[in-house]
């Protein structure tokens, strides 16, 4: 998620990711050129004036600031052309460019926060206009020919006084320019532009058909006996009676997470099959031909291959690896092979035991994919009582938040202090972050918006959570980091506090981990501070490390407290949470490795997509592929979304994060040693941002390359671990 491909702004989903792919944008009319220089969206203390912000002044401000940025880029380009060889690359180029778009970034961040947190103040159409205009301005410096030529010359000549950090910044400019076609002649630029326009159109068609196909399916249930044992959140999700979810009828649809939970809890096999087959055949020829995505898949693959070849790469995967910690397809394949050597044998044992359990409990049919979620959950219940509703009662949101802050303060020697600020909703809180050992000036600040508001918030699932970097650290402009955390947790009702599921807790910790990287960075250059310029497969590492922290029993006790008795989470429920994470881990990991490999094969080869599926499936999955399973037709993350040839990034970052967390775990019984590891984590992962390649950041922290052993141990698969040690 750092350096860019050509950009796409097509759907709401694409706006929720920390965007790094820009270029080829739709322009909006310039507005507000006559506004005063002072940013009208900020208070005197530099914080946004959220209570007085309107769509109109957001649009006007972004228009003026975008023009100012583009004017600066043009001026810098003209001046270094005149100066010829007498150019100081840092003072004459990097410094004015780095400080030119600080205000633009802030306004853009404010707009994104309002879009996610209060869409009545920032509707999608208005945010699209702001987003597109800001993208065009921000990336003007990466395609300016004189600037790129000057930077390339400085990089090639190893200009005096350039540090390793500044060299990486120069490399960012060069790669951004390359991936946006700045090095191409006019004919090839025209080809690339045409390719990207067609690709945008095809992605839009794919997503539209998928959305329609998903919405079209609905299965009605009238019999209460079918739903009587459903957990509360599932019953509410499918009820047609919001006031009384226990009264029918109920409508089962294909949206997540209700779909997964329905397969887990529905005891009628025919209903499970009906919902499962509808889900796996969405947007395929096996549902409704007019909504089939098959042709769009092949066209999108072709266009991405054409994009890569135009830019000088052999295929789209090779192009993708330019922006990944992994560095090459071979390195990813080595990791997948290593993990599969443990997950596949484990999967075989797991499925055998699951089938035996099912037969012993009355199952009289052959085992199919749609049977696994139901019997998997039943088997888990027989091993350890895992009750979502019961676990929630121990996680009132204020306890969890207090525990999260105390853990972070203890590990990273910071202090988190609430204070008043202008906010976009009365539930939103603001916190300053201080260094415990340095002065009284805050290092950074963040907002947190915890509760669901159905009509005002973007909501992809009940566990949706976003970290928005409103502005990056910029030493040149003396700007401190500012962020916002936005969630959709339960609203407190009738005196009962908001209660979090264990997945909610993980979502909170994971997003706060990313927030800490944004806030505690010590990088001086805005374009490399925090999460900026971190390779895609490294950007989630900090979040995963923090989410691993809750798996330690002591942490679970510290952040929990029953909402009526204040008693911490009992040991049997702690064991239930740990057991749930490990239960059928081989099956789950093999599935994740299959999807990662499928993605890479689709974008490195030219075989028909279904042929690729048929070849790969038996290598990873022991249950045969159902003849009409067309899951690629709904694999939006890699087809219409933002992860083509990058789906492996999640498992890569999990491996790295598990290895990091294992260092904390190794010294867990010595508080002084734990704090020493925390300091080292802050000095590396939380401080260095994108100024150092993530492979080197890991070496600074761990003293070696990452190993998959920690993740396999965490999943209970370490007894079958492969021999390979490192993944460079």
């Amino acid at each position: 998620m750092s350096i860019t491909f050509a950009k796409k702004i097509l759907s709401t989903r694409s706006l929720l990711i920390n965007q790094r792919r820009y270029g080829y944008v739709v322009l909006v009319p310039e507005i507000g050129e006559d506004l005063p220089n002072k940013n009208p969206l900020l208070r005197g203390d530099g914080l946004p004036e959220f209570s007085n912000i309107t769509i109109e002044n957001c649009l006007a401000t972004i228009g003026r600031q975008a023009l100012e940025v583009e004017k600066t880029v043009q001026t810098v380009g003209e001046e270094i052309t005149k100066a010829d060889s007498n150019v100081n690359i840092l003072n004459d180029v990097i410094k004015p460019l780095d400080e030119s778009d600080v205000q633009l970034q802030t306004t853009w961040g404010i707009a994104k926060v309002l879009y996610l947190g209060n869409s009545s103040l920032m509707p999608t159409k208005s945010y699209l206009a702001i987003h597109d205009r800001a993208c065009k301005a921000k990336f003007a410096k990466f395609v300016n020919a004189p600037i790129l030529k000057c930077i390339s010359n400085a990089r090639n000549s190893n200009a005096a006084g350039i540090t390793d950090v500044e060299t990486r910044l120069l490399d960012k400019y060069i790669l951004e320019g390359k991936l946006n076609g700045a090095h191409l002649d006019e004919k090839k630029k025209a080809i690339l532009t045409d390719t990207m326009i067609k690709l945008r159109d095809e992605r839009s068609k794919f997503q539209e058909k998928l959305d329609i196909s998903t919405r079209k399916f609905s299965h009605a249930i009238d019999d209460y006996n079918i739903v009587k044992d459903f957990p509360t959140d599932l019953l509410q999700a499918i009820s047609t009676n919001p006031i009384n979810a226990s009264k029918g009828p109920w409508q089962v649809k294909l949206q997540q997470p209700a779909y997964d939970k329905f397969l887990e809890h529905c005891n009628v096999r025919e209903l499970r099959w009906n919902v499962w087959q509808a889900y796996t055949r969405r947007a395929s020829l096996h549902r409704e031909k007019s909504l089939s995505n098959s042709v769009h898949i092949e066209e999108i693959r072709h266009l991405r291959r054409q994009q890569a070849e135009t830019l000088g790469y052999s295929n789209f995967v090779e192009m993708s690896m330019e922006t990944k910690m992994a560095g090459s397809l071979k390195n990813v394949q080595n990791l997948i092979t290593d993990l599969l050597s443990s997950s596949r044998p484990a999967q075989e044992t797991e499925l055998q035991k699951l089938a035996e359990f099912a037969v012993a409990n009355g199952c009289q049919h052959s085992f199919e994919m749609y049977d696994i979620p139901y019997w998997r959950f039943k088997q888990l219940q027989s091993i350890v009582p895992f009750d979502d509703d019961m676990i929630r009662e121990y996680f009132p949101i204020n306890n969890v938040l207090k525990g999260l802050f105390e853990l972070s303060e203890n590990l990273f020697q910071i202090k988190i202090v609430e204070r008043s600020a202008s906010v976009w909703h009365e539930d939103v809180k603001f916190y300053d972050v201080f260094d415990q050992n340095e002065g009284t000036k805050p290092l950074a600040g963040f907002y947190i918006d915890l509760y669901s508001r159905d009509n005002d918030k973007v909501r992809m699932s009940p566990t949706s959570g976003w970290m928005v970097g409103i502005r990056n650290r910029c030493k040149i402009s003396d700007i401190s980091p500012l962020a916002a955390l936005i969630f959709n947790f339960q609203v407190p009702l009738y005196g009962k506090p908001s209660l979090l599921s264990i997945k909610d807790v993980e979502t909170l910790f994971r997003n706060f981990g990313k927030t800490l990287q944004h806030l505690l960075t010590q990088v001086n250059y805005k374009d490399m501070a925090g999460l900026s310029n971190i390779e895609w497969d490294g950007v989630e590492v900090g979040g995963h490390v923090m989410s691993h922290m809750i798996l330690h029993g002591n942490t679970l006790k510290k952040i929990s407290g029953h909402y009526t008795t204040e008693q911490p989470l009992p040991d049997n429920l702690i064991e239930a949470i740990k057991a749930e994470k490990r239960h059928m881990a081989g099956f789950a990991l093999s599935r994740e490795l299959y999807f990662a490999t499928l993605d890479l094969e689709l974008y490195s080869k030219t075989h028909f997509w279904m042929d690729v599926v048929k070849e790969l499936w038996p290598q990873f999955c022991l249950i045969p592929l159902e003849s009409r399973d067309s899951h690629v037709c709904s694999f939006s993350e890699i087809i219409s979304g933002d992860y083509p040839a990058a789906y492996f990034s999640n498992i890569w970052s999990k491996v790295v994060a598990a290895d990091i967390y294992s260092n904390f775990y190794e010294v867990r019984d010595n508080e002084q040693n734990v704090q020493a590891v925390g300091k080292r984590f802050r000095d590396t992962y939380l401080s260095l941002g994108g100024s150092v390649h993530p492979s080197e950041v890991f070496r600074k922290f761990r003293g070696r390359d990452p190993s998959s052993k920690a993740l396999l141990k965490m999943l209970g698969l370490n007894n079958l671990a492969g021999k390979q040690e490192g993944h460079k």
Side-chain angles (χ1 to χ4, degrees):
M1 286 187 177
S2 82
I3 311 179
T4 71
F5 296 113
K7 113 105 169 69
K8 163 220 133 189
I9 290 295
L10 295 171
S11 63
T12 298
R13 169 174 290 193
S14 72
L15 305 178
L16 308 182
I17 302 201
N18 201 6
Q19 292 287 343
R20 298 287 197 280
R21 306 193 228 179
Y22 306 110
Y24 310 105
V25 296
V26 179
L27 306 186
V28 296
E30 306 297 353
I31 329 172
E33 298 179 43
D34 56 345
L35 288 176
N37 288 330
K38 181 182 177 183
N39 190 336
L41 309 184
L42 299 181
R43 305 191 312 180
D45 60 1
L47 293 181
E49 187 70 56
F50 279 112
S51 58
N52 292 323
I53 292 173
T54 65
I55 296 171
E56 290 76 17
N57 58 27
C58 264
L59 284 166
T61 302
I62 209 80
R64 176 181 58 78
Q65 291 171 343
L67 284 172
E68 290 173 352
V69 168
E70 290 164 345
K71 190 178 294 183
T72 299
V73 170
Q74 184 179 356
T75 300
V76 170
E78 291 171 352
E79 289 180 351
I80 60 178
T81 300
K82 293 176 184 177
D84 195 21
S85 60
N86 298 316
V87 175
N88 183 304
I89 195 67
L90 296 179
N91 291 331
D92 299 338
V93 181
I94 299 300
K95 181 178 178 180
L97 293 177
D98 202 47
E99 64 185 353
S100 68
D101 65 348
V102 168
Q103 294 300 324
L104 174 72
Q105 182 194 44
T106 303
T107 304
W108 191 4
I110 291 169
K112 190 179 295 184
V113 167
L114 290 178
Y115 170 67
L116 293 170
N118 195 335
S119 57
S120 62
L121 292 177
M122 184 58 63
T124 299
K125 184 177 180 181
S126 299
Y127 179 70
L128 273 170
I130 289 170
H131 183 101
D132 287 347
R133 187 64 187 94
C135 284
K136 175 179 177 285
K138 180 173 175 58
F139 279 80
K141 63 187 177 185
F142 297 125
V143 294
N144 181 280
I147 290 174
L148 285 179
K149 180 180 178 181
C150 182
I151 285 176
S152 296
N153 290 340
R155 180 68 177 89
N156 293 334
S157 64
N158 295 315
I162 301 295
T163 65
D164 290 343
V165 169
E166 289 154 353
T167 296
R168 182 160 162 87
L169 180 58
L170 299 185
D171 287 341
K172 173 184 172 67
Y173 273 78
I174 293 167
L175 184 54
E176 291 282 7
K178 180 180 179 181
L179 293 176
N180 281 280
H183 63 295
L184 301 177
D185 59 34
E186 292 305 314
K187 182 179 179 181
K188 285 192 174 182
K189 282 182 179 178
I191 292 173
L192 182 63
T193 299
D194 183 60
T195 299
M196 301 312 298
I197 291 171
K198 290 177 179 177
L199 180 58
R200 182 180 62 195
D201 186 50
E202 288 296 322
R203 291 169 69 183
S204 180
K205 289 176 181 176
F206 177 99
Q207 191 62 47
E208 183 178 8
K209 287 185 176 181
L210 175 57
D211 291 343
I212 294 171
S213 183
T214 301
R215 289 195 303 266
K216 270 198 164 189
F217 177 85
S218 179
H219 184 96
I221 299 176
D222 297 313
D223 185 356
Y224 178 69
N225 290 321
I226 294 174
V227 304
K228 65 179 181 179
D229 295 325
F230 284 9
T232 304
D233 56 345
L234 174 58
L235 204 59
Q236 291 173 339
I238 66 174
S239 176
T240 59
N241 185 350
I243 298 176
N244 190 346
S246 62
K247 288 189 176 182
W250 301 269
Q251 291 283 344
V252 183
K253 299 184 179 182
L254 301 181
Q255 282 79 7
Q256 291 286 12
Y259 164 79
D260 284 337
K261 278 188 167 285
F262 179 80
L263 292 187
E264 283 183 351
H265 294 278
C266 178
N267 59 9
V268 181
R269 189 173 190 245
E270 291 77 12
L271 294 184
R272 295 201 305 271
W273 174 84
N274 189 37
V275 174
W276 175 85
Q277 62 82 25
Y279 190 84
T280 57
R281 299 176 192 177
R282 287 177 298 159
S284 75
L285 290 169
H286 300 300
R287 294 296 296 175
E288 188 173 334
K289 290 185 178 180
S290 65
L291 293 176
S292 173
N293 269 334
S294 183
V295 172
H296 299 305
I297 292 169
E298 293 305 295
E299 184 62 17
I300 288 169
R301 292 175 67 201
H302 165 72
L303 289 168
R304 286 193 167 125
R305 185 165 59 251
Q306 183 171 298
Q307 174 193 1
E309 290 173 353
T310 303
L311 290 170
Y313 299 95
S314 60
N315 57 54
F316 192 77
V317 172
E318 183 185 10
M319 175 179 139
S320 172
M321 291 302 161
E322 290 269 42
T323 63
K324 306 302 181 294
M325 177 183 176
S328 72
L329 175 61
K330 184 65 175 176
N331 286 339
V332 180
Q333 290 172 331
N334 286 343
L335 175 62
I336 290 173
T337 299
D338 181 31
L339 293 173
L340 190 63
S341 69
S342 294
S343 68
R344 200 175 192 280
Q347 176 189 182
E348 187 172 0
T349 302
E350 291 165 355
L351 289 177
Q352 181 181 343
K353 290 183 177 180
L354 186 64
E356 292 170 355
F357 172 83
V359 170
N361 286 274
C363 178
Q364 299 178 350
H365 47 73
S366 60
F367 226 50
E368 304 291 348
M369 286 297 292
Y370 55 89
D371 294 313
I372 291 178
Y374 177 75
W375 289 110
R376 180 184 183 181
F377 186 74
K378 286 286 186 183
Q379 185 186 45
L380 176 63
Q381 292 287 74
S382 73
I383 298 170
V384 60
F386 188 83
D387 187 323
D388 279 320
D389 290 340
M390 183 183 297
I391 289 173
R392 273 184 185 274
E393 294 181 355
Y394 286 90
F395 290 114
I397 200 164
N398 288 337
N399 284 52
V400 178
L401 203 60
K402 180 174 179 287
L404 170 60
F405 289 173
E406 288 178 352
L407 175 67
S408 301
E409 289 175 338
N410 184 52
L411 287 178
F412 309 126
Q413 298 300 295
I414 58 175
K415 190 68 179 175
I416 301 170
V417 180
E418 183 180 356
R419 73 170 165 99
S420 62
S422 175
V423 293
W424 57 93
H425 188 274
E426 60 184 6
D427 291 335
V428 179
K429 295 182 179 181
F430 179 78
Y431 297 86
D432 284 315
V433 180
F434 297 87
D435 189 305
Q436 290 182 6
N437 303 311
E438 293 184 12
T440 58
K441 182 180 179 181
L443 298 171
F446 67 95
Y447 302 85
I448 189 163
D449 185 355
L450 295 169
Y451 305 121
S452 172
R453 294 188 293 277
D454 289 340
N455 297 324
D456 282 345
K457 279 190 171 183
V458 171
R459 182 182 175 90
M460 289 175 62
S461 78
T463 56
S464 293
W466 323 113
M467 193 290 286
V468 178
I470 299 175
R471 66 176 182 235
N472 285 9
R473 171 183 162 94
C474 181
K475 185 177 181 181
I476 293 171
S477 301
D478 193 27
I479 297 295
S480 61
L482 186 65
L485 283 154
I486 301 173
F487 300 99
N488 278 294
F489 299 140
Q490 284 182 351
V491 178
L493 288 174
Y494 310 117
K496 187 176 182 179
S498 174
L499 302 175
L500 303 186
S501 69
I502 193 63
K503 289 185 178 179
D504 291 335
V505 176
E506 290 171 354
T507 297
L508 177 60
F509 269 63
R510 186 174 63 253
N511 280 281
F512 195 69
K514 293 195 293 184
T515 303
L516 288 174
Q517 280 188 273
H518 181 82
L519 300 178
L520 299 183
T521 184
Q522 290 299 300
V523 180
N524 294 328
Y525 295 100
K526 176 176 56 60
D527 284 335
M528 297 193 297
L531 296 172
S532 295
N533 201 45
I534 297 179
E535 278 69 6
W536 286 47
D537 43 352
V539 79
E540 296 290 338
V541 167
H544 284 311
V545 170
M546 285 301 292
S547 66
H548 289 331
M549 295 288 182
I550 68 173
L551 296 178
H552 192 273
N554 288 342
T555 303
L556 283 171
K557 285 187 179 293
K558 288 178 181 178
I559 67 174
S560 63
H562 195 279
Y563 78 99
T564 59
T565 67
E566 298 185 2
Q567 291 298 309
L569 194 69
D571 291 341
N572 67 312
L573 290 183
I574 290 176
E575 292 308 311
I577 290 171
K578 292 180 179 180
E580 193 270 341
K581 296 298 177 188
R582 293 186 170 198
H583 186 237
M584 289 196 68
F587 172 81
L589 180 56
S590 294
R591 291 270 291 172
E592 187 168 4
L593 296 175
Y594 161 74
F595 286 119
T597 305
L598 173 65
D599 175 34
L600 295 170
E601 291 285 295
L602 287 174
Y603 288 113
S604 61
K605 296 183 178 178
T606 58
H607 304 82
F608 180 57
W609 67 264
M610 194 64 207
D611 293 335
V612 177
V613 169
K614 289 178 178 178
E615 178 185 352
L616 290 179
W617 184 273
Q619 298 176 32
F620 295 85
C621 306
L622 296 176
I623 293 181
L625 179 70
E626 199 267 344
S627 61
R628 297 187 179 186
D629 186 337
S630 305
H631 52 270
V632 177
C633 291
S634 57
F635 199 174
S636 58
E637 290 87 348
I638 69 164
I639 307 297
S640 62
D642 295 284
Y643 282 86
Y647 196 80
F648 76 88
S649 297
N650 191 48
I651 189 64
W652 188 280
S653 63
K654 284 181 179 178
V655 166
V656 175
D659 202 341
I660 292 169
Y661 170 71
S662 69
N663 198 184
F664 286 95
Y665 187 77
E666 288 160 4
V667 299
R668 62 192 179 279
D669 296 325
N670 186 307
E671 183 67 19
Q672 187 175 355
N673 289 343
V674 169
Q675 289 188 345
V677 176
K679 183 180 186 305
R680 191 165 72 253
F681 186 72
R682 177 177 170 179
D683 291 342
T684 53
Y685 273 91
L686 301 184
S687 295
L688 297 177
S691 67
V692 178
H693 192 278
S695 295
E696 183 58 30
V697 176
F698 183 89
R699 294 185 193 107
K700 287 176 180 292
F701 177 79
R702 209 69 166 105
R704 56 168 172 77
D705 288 326
S707 165
S708 61
K709 284 184 176 181
L711 179 64
L712 292 171
K713 184 177 181 180
M714 190 176 292
L715 296 175
L717 304 175
N718 50 308
N719 292 332
L720 299 168
K723 301 296 184 183
Q724 187 168 331
E725 291 294 322
H727 309 287
K728 299 179 182 180

